mmCIF file of all heavy atoms in Angstrom:
data_model
loop_
_atom_site.group_PDB
_atom_site.id
_atom_site.type_symbol
_atom_site.label_atom_id
_atom_site.label_comp_id
_atom_site.label_asym_id
_atom_site.label_seq_id
_atom_site.Cartn_x
_atom_site.Cartn_y
_atom_site.Cartn_z
ATOM 1 N N VAL A 1 5.402 -0.567 -18.705
ATOM 2 C CA VAL A 1 6.085 -0.173 -19.937
ATOM 3 C C VAL A 1 7.583 -0.448 -19.826
ATOM 4 O O VAL A 1 8.200 -1.022 -20.730
ATOM 5 C CB VAL A 1 5.833 1.321 -20.258
ATOM 6 C CG1 VAL A 1 6.690 1.772 -21.444
ATOM 7 C CG2 VAL A 1 4.361 1.554 -20.555
ATOM 8 N N LEU A 2 8.176 -0.059 -18.695
ATOM 9 C CA LEU A 2 9.602 -0.273 -18.515
ATOM 10 C C LEU A 2 9.920 -1.757 -18.328
ATOM 11 O O LEU A 2 10.914 -2.251 -18.871
ATOM 12 C CB LEU A 2 10.105 0.526 -17.304
ATOM 13 C CG LEU A 2 11.600 0.394 -16.985
ATOM 14 C CD1 LEU A 2 12.457 0.749 -18.193
ATOM 15 C CD2 LEU A 2 11.976 1.267 -15.784
ATOM 16 N N ARG A 3 9.075 -2.484 -17.585
ATOM 17 C CA ARG A 3 9.319 -3.924 -17.393
ATOM 18 C C ARG A 3 9.312 -4.658 -18.731
ATOM 19 O O ARG A 3 10.173 -5.496 -18.993
ATOM 20 C CB ARG A 3 8.265 -4.513 -16.455
ATOM 21 C CG ARG A 3 8.437 -4.125 -14.997
ATOM 22 C CD ARG A 3 7.629 -5.038 -14.084
ATOM 23 N NE ARG A 3 6.201 -4.989 -14.402
ATOM 24 C CZ ARG A 3 5.338 -4.111 -13.892
ATOM 25 N NH1 ARG A 3 5.773 -3.188 -13.031
ATOM 26 N NH2 ARG A 3 4.061 -4.135 -14.207
ATOM 27 N N ASP A 4 8.339 -4.342 -19.574
ATOM 28 C CA ASP A 4 8.263 -4.978 -20.891
ATOM 29 C C ASP A 4 9.459 -4.601 -21.760
ATOM 30 O O ASP A 4 9.996 -5.429 -22.501
ATOM 31 C CB ASP A 4 6.966 -4.585 -21.603
ATOM 32 C CG ASP A 4 5.729 -5.173 -20.933
ATOM 33 O OD1 ASP A 4 5.896 -6.100 -20.099
ATOM 34 O OD2 ASP A 4 4.612 -4.702 -21.217
ATOM 35 N N ARG A 5 9.870 -3.338 -21.649
ATOM 36 C CA ARG A 5 11.000 -2.865 -22.454
ATOM 37 C C ARG A 5 12.294 -3.556 -22.026
ATOM 38 O O ARG A 5 13.130 -3.901 -22.874
ATOM 39 C CB ARG A 5 11.128 -1.344 -22.296
ATOM 40 C CG ARG A 5 12.199 -0.700 -23.181
ATOM 41 C CD ARG A 5 11.873 -0.857 -24.631
ATOM 42 N NE ARG A 5 12.835 -0.149 -25.478
ATOM 43 C CZ ARG A 5 13.036 -0.429 -26.752
ATOM 44 N NH1 ARG A 5 12.343 -1.388 -27.346
ATOM 45 N NH2 ARG A 5 13.928 0.245 -27.455
ATOM 46 N N ILE A 6 12.478 -3.769 -20.739
ATOM 47 C CA ILE A 6 13.676 -4.457 -20.242
ATOM 48 C C ILE A 6 13.751 -5.870 -20.816
ATOM 49 O O ILE A 6 14.793 -6.310 -21.311
ATOM 50 C CB ILE A 6 13.682 -4.495 -18.704
ATOM 51 C CG1 ILE A 6 13.890 -3.084 -18.134
ATOM 52 C CG2 ILE A 6 14.779 -5.433 -18.185
ATOM 53 C CD1 ILE A 6 13.691 -2.994 -16.635
ATOM 54 N N GLY A 7 12.638 -6.594 -20.774
ATOM 55 C CA GLY A 7 12.617 -7.944 -21.315
ATOM 56 C C GLY A 7 12.895 -7.975 -22.809
ATOM 57 O O GLY A 7 13.644 -8.836 -23.296
ATOM 58 N N GLU A 8 12.323 -7.022 -23.543
ATOM 59 C CA GLU A 8 12.540 -6.955 -24.988
ATOM 60 C C GLU A 8 13.997 -6.680 -25.313
ATOM 61 O O GLU A 8 14.583 -7.310 -26.208
ATOM 62 C CB GLU A 8 11.661 -5.855 -25.589
ATOM 63 C CG GLU A 8 11.856 -5.663 -27.088
ATOM 64 C CD GLU A 8 11.129 -4.440 -27.620
ATOM 65 O OE1 GLU A 8 10.375 -3.801 -26.850
ATOM 66 O OE2 GLU A 8 11.324 -4.109 -28.808
ATOM 67 N N LEU A 9 14.617 -5.756 -24.579
ATOM 68 C CA LEU A 9 16.006 -5.388 -24.858
ATOM 69 C C LEU A 9 16.975 -6.504 -24.484
ATOM 70 O O LEU A 9 17.938 -6.767 -25.208
ATOM 71 C CB LEU A 9 16.364 -4.101 -24.113
ATOM 72 C CG LEU A 9 15.704 -2.832 -24.641
ATOM 73 C CD1 LEU A 9 15.979 -1.655 -23.715
ATOM 74 C CD2 LEU A 9 16.183 -2.516 -26.052
ATOM 75 N N LEU A 10 16.747 -7.168 -23.361
ATOM 76 C CA LEU A 10 17.620 -8.278 -22.975
ATOM 77 C C LEU A 10 17.572 -9.394 -24.012
ATOM 78 O O LEU A 10 18.588 -10.018 -24.323
ATOM 79 C CB LEU A 10 17.215 -8.813 -21.598
ATOM 80 C CG LEU A 10 17.565 -7.921 -20.406
ATOM 81 C CD1 LEU A 10 16.900 -8.425 -19.139
ATOM 82 C CD2 LEU A 10 19.078 -7.835 -20.216
ATOM 83 N N GLN A 11 16.390 -9.631 -24.574
ATOM 84 C CA GLN A 11 16.270 -10.631 -25.629
ATOM 85 C C GLN A 11 16.967 -10.166 -26.898
ATOM 86 O O GLN A 11 17.662 -10.943 -27.566
ATOM 87 C CB GLN A 11 14.797 -10.913 -25.919
ATOM 88 C CG GLN A 11 14.571 -11.990 -26.986
ATOM 89 C CD GLN A 11 13.101 -12.269 -27.216
ATOM 90 O OE1 GLN A 11 12.234 -11.491 -26.840
ATOM 91 N NE2 GLN A 11 12.800 -13.397 -27.840
ATOM 92 N N LEU A 12 16.818 -8.875 -27.230
ATOM 93 C CA LEU A 12 17.411 -8.330 -28.443
ATOM 94 C C LEU A 12 18.931 -8.442 -28.431
ATOM 95 O O LEU A 12 19.549 -8.811 -29.443
ATOM 96 C CB LEU A 12 17.006 -6.862 -28.609
ATOM 97 C CG LEU A 12 17.606 -6.108 -29.804
ATOM 98 C CD1 LEU A 12 17.105 -6.696 -31.124
ATOM 99 C CD2 LEU A 12 17.288 -4.621 -29.717
ATOM 100 N N VAL A 13 19.559 -8.143 -27.292
ATOM 101 C CA VAL A 13 21.023 -8.153 -27.221
ATOM 102 C C VAL A 13 21.580 -9.494 -26.740
ATOM 103 O O VAL A 13 22.785 -9.629 -26.537
ATOM 104 C CB VAL A 13 21.538 -7.016 -26.307
ATOM 105 C CG1 VAL A 13 21.075 -5.673 -26.825
ATOM 106 C CG2 VAL A 13 21.100 -7.211 -24.860
ATOM 107 N N GLY A 14 20.700 -10.493 -26.561
ATOM 108 C CA GLY A 14 21.163 -11.820 -26.176
ATOM 109 C C GLY A 14 21.703 -11.906 -24.768
ATOM 110 O O GLY A 14 22.674 -12.634 -24.506
ATOM 111 N N MET A 15 21.087 -11.181 -23.825
ATOM 112 C CA MET A 15 21.586 -11.160 -22.443
ATOM 113 C C MET A 15 20.560 -11.683 -21.439
ATOM 114 O O MET A 15 20.653 -11.410 -20.247
ATOM 115 C CB MET A 15 21.991 -9.723 -22.073
ATOM 116 C CG MET A 15 23.171 -9.178 -22.848
ATOM 117 S SD MET A 15 24.712 -9.940 -22.351
ATOM 118 C CE MET A 15 24.944 -9.172 -20.751
ATOM 119 N N GLU A 16 19.586 -12.439 -21.911
ATOM 120 C CA GLU A 16 18.556 -12.940 -20.996
ATOM 121 C C GLU A 16 19.144 -13.842 -19.925
ATOM 122 O O GLU A 16 18.722 -13.798 -18.754
ATOM 123 C CB GLU A 16 17.496 -13.700 -21.794
ATOM 124 C CG GLU A 16 16.618 -12.807 -22.664
ATOM 125 C CD GLU A 16 15.637 -13.625 -23.480
ATOM 126 O OE1 GLU A 16 16.081 -14.370 -24.365
ATOM 127 O OE2 GLU A 16 14.430 -13.498 -23.217
ATOM 128 N N ASP A 17 20.115 -14.674 -20.290
ATOM 129 C CA ASP A 17 20.698 -15.602 -19.319
ATOM 130 C C ASP A 17 21.534 -14.892 -18.263
ATOM 131 O O ASP A 17 21.808 -15.472 -17.202
ATOM 132 C CB ASP A 17 21.566 -16.642 -20.040
ATOM 133 C CG ASP A 17 20.746 -17.571 -20.923
ATOM 134 O OD1 ASP A 17 19.522 -17.652 -20.708
ATOM 135 O OD2 ASP A 17 21.330 -18.188 -21.832
ATOM 136 N N ALA A 18 21.962 -13.645 -18.553
ATOM 137 C CA ALA A 18 22.820 -12.907 -17.618
ATOM 138 C C ALA A 18 22.081 -11.742 -16.966
ATOM 139 O O ALA A 18 22.714 -10.882 -16.365
ATOM 140 C CB ALA A 18 24.065 -12.392 -18.337
ATOM 141 N N ARG A 19 20.757 -11.739 -17.044
ATOM 142 C CA ARG A 19 20.004 -10.588 -16.542
ATOM 143 C C ARG A 19 20.154 -10.410 -15.033
ATOM 144 O O ARG A 19 20.077 -9.286 -14.529
ATOM 145 C CB ARG A 19 18.524 -10.705 -16.929
ATOM 146 C CG ARG A 19 17.784 -11.843 -16.279
ATOM 147 C CD ARG A 19 16.373 -11.982 -16.853
ATOM 148 N NE ARG A 19 15.609 -10.766 -16.690
ATOM 149 C CZ ARG A 19 14.533 -10.450 -17.436
ATOM 150 N NH1 ARG A 19 14.149 -11.254 -18.399
ATOM 151 N NH2 ARG A 19 13.874 -9.344 -17.207
ATOM 152 N N HIS A 20 20.375 -11.508 -14.283
ATOM 153 C CA HIS A 20 20.477 -11.413 -12.832
ATOM 154 C C HIS A 20 21.919 -11.458 -12.337
ATOM 155 O O HIS A 20 22.157 -11.493 -11.128
ATOM 156 C CB HIS A 20 19.671 -12.534 -12.173
ATOM 157 C CG HIS A 20 18.208 -12.483 -12.492
ATOM 158 N ND1 HIS A 20 17.422 -11.369 -12.255
ATOM 159 C CD2 HIS A 20 17.388 -13.413 -13.064
ATOM 160 C CE1 HIS A 20 16.181 -11.608 -12.639
ATOM 161 N NE2 HIS A 20 16.134 -12.837 -13.140
ATOM 162 N N ARG A 21 22.888 -11.463 -13.256
ATOM 163 C CA ARG A 21 24.299 -11.426 -12.872
ATOM 164 C C ARG A 21 24.743 -9.985 -12.681
ATOM 165 O O ARG A 21 24.301 -9.080 -13.395
ATOM 166 C CB ARG A 21 25.160 -12.088 -13.940
ATOM 167 C CG ARG A 21 25.042 -13.603 -13.970
ATOM 168 C CD ARG A 21 25.828 -14.187 -15.117
ATOM 169 N NE ARG A 21 27.227 -13.747 -15.116
ATOM 170 C CZ ARG A 21 28.088 -14.044 -16.086
ATOM 171 N NH1 ARG A 21 27.696 -14.760 -17.131
ATOM 172 N NH2 ARG A 21 29.332 -13.614 -16.019
ATOM 173 N N ARG A 22 25.638 -9.752 -11.739
ATOM 174 C CA ARG A 22 26.134 -8.399 -11.510
ATOM 175 C C ARG A 22 27.044 -7.974 -12.666
ATOM 176 O O ARG A 22 27.835 -8.774 -13.181
ATOM 177 C CB ARG A 22 26.885 -8.310 -10.180
ATOM 178 C CG ARG A 22 25.990 -8.582 -8.972
ATOM 179 C CD ARG A 22 26.664 -8.211 -7.670
ATOM 180 N NE ARG A 22 25.844 -8.591 -6.528
ATOM 181 C CZ ARG A 22 24.820 -7.867 -6.061
ATOM 182 N NH1 ARG A 22 24.510 -6.728 -6.654
ATOM 183 N NH2 ARG A 22 24.121 -8.284 -5.027
ATOM 184 N N VAL A 23 26.933 -6.708 -13.032
ATOM 185 C CA VAL A 23 27.688 -6.173 -14.165
ATOM 186 C C VAL A 23 29.195 -6.287 -13.930
ATOM 187 O O VAL A 23 29.965 -6.421 -14.883
ATOM 188 C CB VAL A 23 27.277 -4.701 -14.423
ATOM 189 C CG1 VAL A 23 28.176 -4.050 -15.451
ATOM 190 C CG2 VAL A 23 25.826 -4.640 -14.878
ATOM 191 N N GLY A 24 29.640 -6.261 -12.660
ATOM 192 C CA GLY A 24 31.054 -6.360 -12.355
ATOM 193 C C GLY A 24 31.684 -7.652 -12.835
ATOM 194 O O GLY A 24 32.902 -7.719 -12.995
ATOM 195 N N GLY A 25 30.872 -8.678 -13.101
ATOM 196 C CA GLY A 25 31.392 -9.947 -13.584
ATOM 197 C C GLY A 25 31.241 -10.139 -15.075
ATOM 198 O O GLY A 25 31.518 -11.230 -15.592
ATOM 199 N N TYR A 26 30.823 -9.087 -15.807
ATOM 200 C CA TYR A 26 30.621 -9.184 -17.256
ATOM 201 C C TYR A 26 31.957 -9.096 -18.002
ATOM 202 O O TYR A 26 32.886 -8.394 -17.579
ATOM 203 C CB TYR A 26 29.729 -8.050 -17.755
ATOM 204 C CG TYR A 26 28.242 -8.253 -17.530
ATOM 205 C CD1 TYR A 26 27.767 -9.340 -16.807
ATOM 206 C CD2 TYR A 26 27.316 -7.351 -18.048
ATOM 207 C CE1 TYR A 26 26.407 -9.509 -16.605
ATOM 208 C CE2 TYR A 26 25.958 -7.525 -17.861
ATOM 209 C CZ TYR A 26 25.506 -8.601 -17.134
ATOM 210 O OH TYR A 26 24.162 -8.783 -16.941
ATOM 211 N N SER A 27 32.032 -9.775 -19.138
ATOM 212 C CA SER A 27 33.171 -9.622 -20.046
ATOM 213 C C SER A 27 33.017 -8.322 -20.829
ATOM 214 O O SER A 27 31.965 -7.659 -20.777
ATOM 215 C CB SER A 27 33.236 -10.799 -21.022
ATOM 216 O OG SER A 27 32.109 -10.773 -21.898
ATOM 217 N N LYS A 28 34.060 -7.949 -21.615
ATOM 218 C CA LYS A 28 33.992 -6.714 -22.407
ATOM 219 C C LYS A 28 32.857 -6.794 -23.429
ATOM 220 O O LYS A 28 32.120 -5.815 -23.622
ATOM 221 C CB LYS A 28 35.322 -6.483 -23.122
ATOM 222 C CG LYS A 28 35.355 -5.228 -23.997
ATOM 223 C CD LYS A 28 35.234 -3.962 -23.182
ATOM 224 C CE LYS A 28 35.147 -2.718 -24.067
ATOM 225 N NZ LYS A 28 36.369 -2.424 -24.810
ATOM 226 N N GLY A 29 32.690 -7.949 -24.064
ATOM 227 C CA GLY A 29 31.613 -8.090 -25.032
ATOM 228 C C GLY A 29 30.244 -7.973 -24.397
ATOM 229 O O GLY A 29 29.325 -7.372 -24.968
ATOM 230 N N MET A 30 30.084 -8.535 -23.193
ATOM 231 C CA MET A 30 28.805 -8.433 -22.482
ATOM 232 C C MET A 30 28.526 -6.995 -22.072
ATOM 233 O O MET A 30 27.377 -6.528 -22.126
ATOM 234 C CB MET A 30 28.811 -9.353 -21.265
ATOM 235 C CG MET A 30 28.905 -10.832 -21.617
ATOM 236 S SD MET A 30 29.185 -11.883 -20.175
ATOM 237 C CE MET A 30 27.588 -11.803 -19.368
ATOM 238 N N LEU A 31 29.568 -6.273 -21.663
ATOM 239 C CA LEU A 31 29.391 -4.863 -21.305
ATOM 240 C C LEU A 31 28.938 -4.043 -22.507
ATOM 241 O O LEU A 31 28.096 -3.145 -22.383
ATOM 242 C CB LEU A 31 30.694 -4.292 -20.740
ATOM 243 C CG LEU A 31 31.089 -4.730 -19.326
ATOM 244 C CD1 LEU A 31 32.479 -4.231 -18.986
ATOM 245 C CD2 LEU A 31 30.067 -4.229 -18.311
#
């Protein structure tokens, strides 16, 4: 349930390409 939800949310917010990047390297918009 959680694995499916993670994939759905990353797609919804347009962050699939950055799913494996560390949050410390995110821009303000990505955060």
Side-chain angles (χ1 to χ4, degrees):
V1 173
L2 180 55
R3 287 196 301 272
D4 292 345
R5 185 64 175 159
I6 291 171
E8 178 188 354
L9 289 172
L10 287 170
Q11 182 178 17
L12 177 65
V13 301
M15 294 288 287
E16 289 177 293
D17 293 341
R19 66 187 302 158
H20 299 304
R21 287 175 54 185
R22 296 192 185 278
V23 172
Y26 280 6
S27 66
K28 179 65 185 293
M30 295 170 72
L31 286 172

